Amino acid sequence: MKKKFLRVLNFMLVFSLLATLLVGCKSETTTQATSQEANEASSTEETLEPKFGGEITVAFQSAPDNFDPDHPSSDWVVTAVTNHTYEGLFEFSGQNQAVPHLAESYKVINDGKGYEIILRKGIKFHDGEEMKADDVKASMERWFKVNPAGAAIADTFTGIDIVDDYKLVVNFNEVYAPFINILASPVSRQKMLVKKKEIIDKFGESIITEHIGTGPFYFHEIVMGQKVVLKKYDDYVPLELEASGLAGKRVAYLDKVTIEFVPEESVRVSGLKSGQYDFIDELSTDRYDEVDSFPEISPTAANYGTIGVVAFNSGKSPFSDINLRKSVAYAINPHDMAAAQIGDSKFWSVDDGSWFAEGSIWYDAKAGEGIYNNHNVDKAKEYVEKSNYGGELITILGEKADLFMSNGALVLQNQLKEIGLNVEVQLYDKSTYSDYRQNGKWDITLSRWSDMNPDPQVFEPWTGTNGWITNWDDEDSRRIDEIFSRMEKEMDYDKRYKIVQEFYNEFWETLPYIKVFNDKRLYGIKDNLKGYAGFGQPYFWNVWISE
């Protein structure tokens, strides 16, 4: 399991190093069509003078269990919130490149087995003390132990040497090309965020409940399950580089950002209309036109969307049987799934089985050919017959308040019943769902992954032996492990792309989970909220209120 999480992080480092070490390899990033709208809005806002002051209230759908971004229970919302209060040594730009942030620079040493990192001077924590190398060392050592991405590569990590207050060297016992990208990974439970050494000394590997970061905002109040209040940190020291994605200059124009956790979409939408909320997340496509009709309010989409996923508990019967997993792949009608989970077809696509969009250097138009988006009931039934399935109950586990999950579960149930499977949908509150999923009390579950993935190595922690929640452990999973092991060490782009194609082929042959569709993540925002960038996740630095 460690190797899997590690690989997710590794993918990010690989991407960064590829940009600097690979000859003739250029990083290209595609964006959702809606990014054009964001760019047009941004152009208009360039003529407006940003203003300091004011406060906003934001409504997020999901309430996290904690705000420890390293903890394995951390999720998408934890990342979205803590991006305001913590920062990484490296952050991803709008061009999907890991660039220095709290770090000033770095260089690869010791034939690729070491990374010398120089820190920016004058960076202040929220208690006024300066960030130094011992804080970074403590943060990174905890990251290797607690964070799934760090733990995945911990067996290659040999230690950190502090040269002085602003320089340290991270050492490995073998070449680990994706390290910088992993440190900067915008994916949940992956980025290495710098915390105070005294906080880490106090909490160790336990969940951190006292938060002292370096970000433009600090935690003023936390009411678990209800809200967090973020206030502007007056002594924040921004990076004097143009803002791009999560990288570059961050300015807290707003005095206060209150984030409320509101699971019911109808309440979020009505609150946006009434003026209670200035921004809401997880807007369904069914409400897009409604929100578009509200005066002085607009729907908007993130530059990156998500990928609908059907996952198997492959570590136990019946889905330890590859033939039964293949039967599900052919039983799925992705058009019906996407229509139920997303809605209007202008907001989703089922073009191919590639995990990267056309235009990406990792795109493969032939990925999943013959099985992805190939709804074939007769063939699905044939694979059921080949399997060892004996009619036992199959449970699709879901979260009741999550319409994406619950709607998809019901459609999938009908599709699987059509091929003769005995299927039951079980929907629970978030706490029970998380407990059942963690303890393996499920056969199938649905998920939604960000497609903000600049490198295929990111899929390693989710795909091989004991990857993600699949509990997959057999000859097939170990073959995937071997592919990722070669991928993380290969620096030549053409050679590495061939390994990536091996991954695609092996993935669609063994199916630890199934890609169903791509979609766009939608939000609602007041028109007087300016500077919103919409890169991946919602964040509110560089955002101001116009009169």
Side-chain angles (χ1 to χ4, degrees):
M1 174 180 282
K2 287 188 172 181
K3 288 190 171 180
K4 304 236 152 22
F5 287 110
L6 153 61
R7 307 199 177 212
V8 170
L9 289 181
N10 290 347
F11 96 89
M12 306 214 156
L13 166 51
V14 170
F15 183 87
S16 174
L17 292 179
L18 285 173
T20 56
L21 299 180
L22 292 182
V23 176
C25 172
K26 291 185 179 179
S27 135
E28 299 177 2
T29 306
T30 60
T31 56
Q32 300 283 358
T34 52
S35 66
Q36 181 178 350
E37 301 171 8
N39 291 336
E40 291 172 354
S42 204
S43 301
T44 302
E45 288 166 10
E46 286 177 1
T47 64
L48 300 175
E49 187 69 25
K51 297 181 179 181
F52 287 92
E55 59 185 68
I56 63 172
T57 301
V58 173
F60 282 179
Q61 178 190 59
S62 179
D65 296 327
N66 62 75
F67 290 99
D68 185 343
D70 284 334
H71 198 268
S73 65
S74 174
D75 60 15
W76 175 265
V77 179
V78 175
T79 305
V81 173
T82 57
N83 274 341
H84 295 80
T85 59
Y86 292 110
E87 297 176 293
L89 292 174
F90 303 88
E91 298 282 358
F92 266 90
S93 72
Q95 291 72 46
N96 268 347
Q97 292 179 316
V99 298
H101 193 75
L102 293 180
E104 181 177 283
S105 62
Y106 80 97
K107 63 180 178 180
V108 181
I109 61 175
N110 192 21
D111 297 324
K113 296 180 182 178
Y115 293 83
E116 181 183 274
I117 299 173
I118 308 297
L119 305 178
R120 288 168 58 202
K121 296 180 180 179
I123 302 299
K124 291 185 178 181
F125 283 109
H126 295 150
D127 63 355
E129 293 190 4
E130 187 180 10
M131 178 197 77
K132 294 185 177 178
D134 58 350
D135 299 299
V136 175
K137 178 180 179 180
S139 299
M140 191 174 295
E141 288 176 340
R142 183 179 191 267
W143 179 79
F144 276 116
K145 294 176 181 177
V146 178
N147 188 293
I153 56 171
D155 56 349
T156 64
F157 167 68
T158 59
I160 299 173
D161 299 321
I162 293 180
V163 180
D164 58 40
D165 284 346
Y166 305 102
K167 181 189 292 187
L168 62 159
V169 176
V170 185
N171 301 294
F172 295 91
N173 58 24
E174 61 182 43
V175 175
Y176 194 71
F179 181 57
I180 299 300
N181 273 351
I182 293 173
L183 291 180
S185 172
V187 180
S188 299
R189 300 182 298 275
Q190 294 184 17
K191 188 189 302 184
M192 203 294 288
L193 297 166
V194 178
K195 307 167 190 67
K196 280 206 72 173
K197 181 179 184 298
E198 68 179 61
I199 294 296
I200 292 172
D201 290 343
K202 178 177 181 178
F203 288 93
E205 297 179 30
S206 301
I207 293 175
I208 291 176
T209 58
E210 295 178 21
H211 301 278
I212 301 177
T214 63
F217 294 91
Y218 66 91
F219 281 108
H220 174 70
E221 181 183 10
I222 298 176
V223 182
M224 293 306 300
Q226 297 181 35
K227 68 177 182 179
V228 296
V229 179
L230 308 176
K231 282 194 172 181
K232 174 182 178 177
Y233 180 44
D234 290 329
D235 291 330
Y236 176 71
V237 182
L239 181 66
E240 291 300 328
L241 290 176
E242 182 179 357
S244 174
L246 295 170
K249 190 171 186 177
R250 298 180 178 185
V251 178
Y253 292 107
L254 300 168
D255 293 328
K256 184 168 74 171
V257 177
T258 299
I259 300 174
E260 296 184 2
F261 304 111
V262 185
E264 297 84 6
E265 182 185 22
S266 60
V267 177
R268 296 196 302 276
V269 171
S270 63
L272 181 66
K273 183 179 182 180
S274 69
Q276 179 182 0
Y277 302 127
D278 300 279
F279 180 98
I280 63 171
D281 77 347
E282 302 305 338
L283 176 67
S284 67
T285 60
D286 294 341
R287 309 296 291 267
Y288 185 93
D289 290 338
E290 177 188 357
V291 170
D292 197 29
S293 71
F294 294 164
E296 301 180 341
I297 292 172
S298 300
T300 186
N303 294 32
Y304 292 86
T306 60
I307 301 171
V309 173
V310 170
F312 301 106
N313 190 341
S314 302
K316 70 171 189 177
S317 179
F319 287 108
S320 55
D321 189 326
I322 188 173
N323 287 314
L324 197 62
R325 299 199 299 267
K326 286 185 175 181
S327 74
V328 174
Y330 285 109
I332 288 176
N333 184 328
H335 295 83
D336 290 348
M337 292 282 288
Q341 294 181 268
I342 304 301
D344 195 317
S345 60
K346 68 183 177 183
F347 297 109
W348 53 264
S349 62
V350 290
D351 296 332
D352 52 58
S354 177
W355 290 102
F356 293 84
E358 186 174 2
S360 165
I361 60 174
W362 306 115
Y363 174 71
D364 183 358
K366 294 185 177 180
E369 196 171 63
I371 188 166
Y372 175 76
N373 191 19
N374 186 7
H375 178 57
N376 188 325
V377 172
D378 291 336
K379 198 160 190 174
K381 289 180 177 179
E382 290 177 11
Y383 275 106
V384 173
E385 290 298 318
K386 291 180 183 179
S387 75
N388 295 316
Y389 179 67
E392 59 268 35
L393 181 65
I394 292 173
T395 299
I396 302 177
L397 182 68
E399 188 179 335
K400 190 182 303 181
D402 188 331
L403 294 180
F404 177 92
M405 192 180 295
S406 57
N407 288 348
L410 294 172
V411 172
L412 181 60
Q413 178 189 34
N414 290 332
Q415 293 177 355
L416 299 187
K417 282 185 174 181
E418 188 177 4
I419 65 170
L421 303 188
N422 179 17
V423 183
E424 177 181 83
V425 172
Q426 295 182 1
L427 303 176
Y428 299 100
D429 60 82
K430 181 176 181 178
S431 177
T432 303
Y433 165 76
S434 298
D435 178 68
Y436 277 31
R437 196 181 78 165
Q438 181 177 349
N439 290 290
K441 298 178 181 179
W442 59 282
D443 298 306
I444 294 176
T445 192
L446 283 71
S447 190
R448 195 177 191 183
W449 294 0
S450 169
D451 65 2
M452 191 167 60
N453 301 316
D455 190 281
Q457 205 78 40
V458 71
F459 291 97
E460 181 175 8
W462 299 321
T463 308
T465 303
N466 289 320
W468 187 36
I469 57 170
T470 64
N471 303 306
W472 191 30
D473 188 356
D474 57 23
E475 290 183 5
D476 292 333
S477 71
R478 287 184 282 279
R479 195 156 51 247
I480 290 278
D481 295 342
E482 189 277 330
I483 291 173
F484 276 118
S485 179
R486 286 186 285 117
M487 188 189 298
E488 72 185 21
K489 294 178 177 63
E490 182 55 69
M491 298 306 301
D492 180 271
Y493 167 71
D494 292 330
K495 293 178 181 178
R496 193 163 185 265
Y497 183 74
K498 290 181 179 179
I499 298 174
V500 172
Q501 288 182 307
E502 285 185 55
F503 158 65
Y504 278 129
N505 293 337
E506 192 66 26
F507 171 85
W508 282 107
E509 178 62 29
T510 55
L511 298 169
Y513 46 88
I514 298 171
K515 171 188 172 180
V516 184
F517 54 80
N518 291 84
D519 74 282
K520 299 174 183 177
R521 204 157 201 149
L522 304 177
Y523 309 115
I525 186 171
K526 281 189 174 180
D527 292 342
N528 71 339
L529 208 58
K530 304 300 182 181
Y532 179 73
F535 180 80
Q537 290 180 310
Y539 56 82
F540 302 100
W541 60 83
N542 300 340
V543 170
W544 74 95
I545 301 170
S546 67
E547 293 181 355

